[in-house]
Structures are given as structure tokens and as C-alpha cells.
Amino acid sequence: MTNLFLLDIQGLMLAFLIGLIVYFFGGLEFLIIFFVFLISAVFVTKYGYQKKRDIGLYEHERSWENVVSNGLVPVLVLFLPFFGFSSIGAFLGAVAAITADKFASELGVLHPSPIDLANLKKARNGKSGCVSLFGTFASFVGALTIGLFAHLLFPGSIGSWKIILLGVIGFIGSFADSIAGVFEEKGIGNKSTSNIIGSSVGALLGLAFV
């Protein structure tokens, strides 16, 4: 079962706990959205398995740190109703951002010659703070996936045009993650903090515009 979600036992237990919190404070629709992220993350991680393995960029099992960096912001925004705000937009924006980042990072490494945002020069695959044309496109597709499921699950709140809006929000959140990756390469922060920054940007934009 750990292999199903590419998590070790600690990561799987924490993911289960986060799922319970999402269900308890958000409801079944929120939980489905979270599962869409988890399942799509497994798919894009497995995609191009052999090539990723050959270049040393395949991560088979992730631990609790990865679960926290992706799940912290979506969980925190569930408490917004206690402060008089709706949690739907912020939650969807955060999940769209982490999904977009997952698509960008896992599919982008398959594209040759990514561009380093620090100097706009070609860089090695897998380096933080880099983008590629294929990864950028994949990022938008990942965020649109969340937008589509959000439209199906929240038809009264998420109209068809908001599918595109969530795609844009997720893309911006993923790009913020990439910018944070530039500082990550300089020793300021790490992959977890970059993920949290990206999902925070997605949550704020979702809260403001969705």
C-alpha cells in the first residue's frame, strides 16, 4: 500500500491524518479534490519512469516531510471559516498550485535544456529554480485538472470560467515555487519551503478571486 501513493509508512500515516482533517473540516468534496492531487501525483511521478531513473531523478518513496510541505497550507485554510472567510477558494487555489508544481517538476525533467530563472541560461535537468516549455505546459494542465474537478464538485460556486481561473492560479503558484527554487539553490530554504510558498500563493489568489 505504501507503493500505491509512493510514500513510506510515516508519510502514508500523515497523509491519512490529513485526509481525515480535510474530510472533517471540509467535507467529502474537499477530500475528493485532495485525492485527485494524490492520484495525479502518482501518475506523473510514474510517467517516464525509466528515463527519470536513468538520469537519477526518480523518487520512489517520499516521507512525511513531503506530505507536510504539500498538505500544510491546504489544511490550514480549512480553518478560515472560523475567521469569517470561505475556505473553498483558498483550498482549491492551494491544491491547484501543488498539483501544478507536481506536474511541472515530474514532467518537466523529461524535457531537455531547462532554463535557469536566475540567469536565463540552460541548466541541468532537475535543478531547482528552472523552467521548461514542456514543464510550463504541464503545470497549467495539472492546475486545470483541479479546476475541472472543482467545477464538477462545486457547480454552484465554481462556474465553468473558473476552471480556467484555477488553472491560472495554480500556474502562478507553481511559478512562485520555481522562483523560490532560485533561492533554494543559493542555500536559502529547501524544497519543502518552496512548496509551502507556492501553495500559499495559490491559496491567497484563490481566496481573493475564486
Side-chain angles (χ1 to χ4, degrees):
M1 189 171 184
T2 55
N3 290 334
L4 177 63
F5 291 110
L6 304 180
L7 296 169
D8 62 17
I9 189 62
Q10 291 89 355
L12 189 64
M13 291 175 64
L14 186 56
F16 180 74
L17 176 60
I18 288 177
L20 288 178
I21 295 172
V22 169
Y23 178 73
F24 185 80
F25 288 99
L28 180 60
E29 295 83 359
F30 283 69
L31 183 61
I32 292 174
I33 291 291
F34 192 69
F35 264 100
V36 169
F37 159 69
L38 289 175
I39 294 171
S40 61
V42 171
F43 173 77
V44 296
T45 300
K46 287 285 190 180
Y47 185 81
Y49 159 78
Q50 191 59 55
K51 183 174 182 179
K52 292 176 186 176
R53 185 167 184 142
D54 290 343
I55 60 179
L57 294 175
Y58 180 73
E59 295 182 75
H60 180 59
E61 280 193 342
R62 299 178 174 94
S63 192
W64 64 270
E65 295 97 335
N66 185 267
V67 177
V68 169
S69 66
N70 285 295
L72 179 63
V73 175
V75 164
L76 290 178
V77 301
L78 293 174
F79 297 93
L80 284 174
F82 293 100
F83 302 95
F85 298 96
S86 172
S87 61
I88 294 178
F91 181 82
L92 293 176
V95 177
I98 60 176
T99 305
D101 176 64
K102 184 61 66 177
F103 273 59
S105 60
E106 291 293 344
L107 300 179
V109 297
L110 300 175
H111 189 279
S113 303
I115 301 299
D116 192 332
L117 291 175
N119 52 32
L120 301 182
K121 295 181 180 179
K122 291 183 179 180
R124 59 176 171 80
N125 280 9
K127 181 181 179 182
S128 296
C130 296
V131 296
S132 68
L133 181 61
F134 185 62
T136 299
F137 173 74
S139 170
F140 189 60
V141 171
L144 280 178
T145 301
I146 298 301
L148 177 61
F149 275 90
H151 173 63
L152 296 174
L153 293 167
F154 304 98
S157 301
I158 309 299
S160 56
W161 70 273
K162 287 188 177 180
I163 298 174
I164 304 298
L165 177 60
L166 281 168
V168 173
I169 287 174
F171 170 78
I172 294 173
S174 176
F175 191 72
D177 183 299
S178 297
I179 294 175
V182 174
F183 295 93
E184 184 184 329
E185 287 291 321
K186 298 180 184 298
I188 304 172
N190 52 41
K191 184 57 181 174
S192 293
T193 57
S194 295
N195 286 344
I196 291 172
I197 289 171
S199 57
S200 296
V201 169
L204 289 171
L205 292 174
L207 179 64
F209 298 109
V210 177

